[in-house]
Amino acid sequence: MLEIDPVLDSFIQSAAGQEREDQLENLVLQSIPIIRRVLRHRLGFHVNAKGESSRIPDAADLFHEILVRILQRLHALQVKGGGEEIRGFGAYVRRTAGSACHEYLREH
């Protein structure tokens, strides 16, 4: 049986249109501080709430890349009505951001 975070369940069950957009916006807003924390702790990258960094151009690119990955996964969840189990949305965001940081370090 598929276990899914209640926050994600609301998003998956939301109807198309404004309700879906509101749910998506809520998830993005929840993701931003987590992504910022992971970037700061793993790489020392400081970005503002918009994902901008005046000192490190790569920080903004990486922040937005992480958001895109999360949005793609959320879209896949909604389209498929589930997919792989996500028990905690915050933990998923941390893992996604951590993986992106690891990939960044390997490439640079």
Side-chain angles (χ1 to χ4, degrees), residues 7-106:
V7 170
L8 289 175
D9 192 43
S10 295
F11 171 70
I12 291 168
Q13 301 303 323
S14 64
Q18 191 60 47
E19 180 185 1
R20 182 179 294 170
E21 292 301 316
D22 291 346
Q23 293 288 336
L24 184 60
E25 182 179 353
N26 181 41
L27 291 170
V28 168
L29 290 173
Q30 288 180 41
S31 300
I32 289 171
I34 298 169
I35 296 168
R36 292 177 67 207
R37 247 186 330 270
V38 171
L39 289 175
R40 187 173 54 252
H41 290 290
R42 295 273 182 108
L43 302 174
F45 289 178
H46 295 270
V47 296
N48 64 22
K50 293 180 181 179
E52 300 165 342
S53 174
S54 60
R55 297 183 310 159
I56 306 169
D58 284 351
D61 292 343
L62 188 54
F63 174 90
H64 290 100
E65 179 183 326
I66 294 165
L67 265 182
V68 166
R69 289 181 187 188
I70 292 166
L71 289 169
Q72 288 172 335
R73 178 70 187 277
L74 291 172
H75 177 72
L77 282 172
Q78 184 132 61
V79 169
K80 296 175 185 171
E84 286 185 37
E85 188 173 292
I86 297 179
R87 292 184 184 176
F89 183 66
Y92 166 72
V93 172
R94 281 189 294 280
R95 281 191 313 275
T96 301
S99 293
C101 289
H102 182 72
E103 290 170 20
Y104 175 84
L105 288 173
R106 267 198 326 248

